[in-house]
Amino acid sequence: MAIVINLDVMMAKRKCRLKDLAEAIGITEANISILKNGKAKAIRFATLESICDYLQCQPGDILEYKQEDES
C-alpha cells in the first residue's frame, strides 16, 4: 500500500487513547482501530478534519505517501 497511516504515532505524541479520540470525534473505537492499523480503504474528509482538530495536527501528519518499489 502506498498510503501509510501514522495515526498511532500522532496519538502517541499527543498521549491520546483510542477511547478518548473515538468519543471526541463521534465514531466507534473499532473504526478508529481499523484506520489506525492501516486496514481502512477510505476516510471521510469530515472524519479526517475531526481527527486533526482534536489532535491539533495537519492531515500530512497522519497520512503519508510512500512510493512502492517496482521490484
Side-chain angles (χ1 to χ4, degrees):
M1 177 188 244
I3 301 294
V4 178
I5 309 295
N6 294 317
L7 182 57
D8 55 342
V9 174
M10 188 51 69
M11 288 175 65
K13 285 182 181 179
R14 300 293 193 252
K15 295 179 174 43
C16 175
R17 297 181 326 166
L18 189 77
K19 181 180 179 178
D20 297 333
L21 180 59
E23 286 178 3
I25 66 173
I27 64 175
T28 66
E29 289 181 49
N31 284 338
I32 292 276
S33 182
I34 289 168
L35 181 61
K36 188 178 89 161
N37 294 323
K39 302 219 188 266
K41 299 291 182 192
I43 182 171
R44 293 176 189 257
F45 283 134
T47 302
L48 182 59
E49 182 179 354
S50 296
I51 290 170
C52 289
D53 184 49
Y54 185 78
L55 295 176
Q56 293 296 296
C57 66
Q58 294 294 314
D61 296 327
I62 297 171
L63 303 174
E64 179 183 357
Y65 173 75
K66 288 196 176 181
Q67 196 163 10
E68 294 180 355
D69 293 334
E70 295 184 24
S71 303

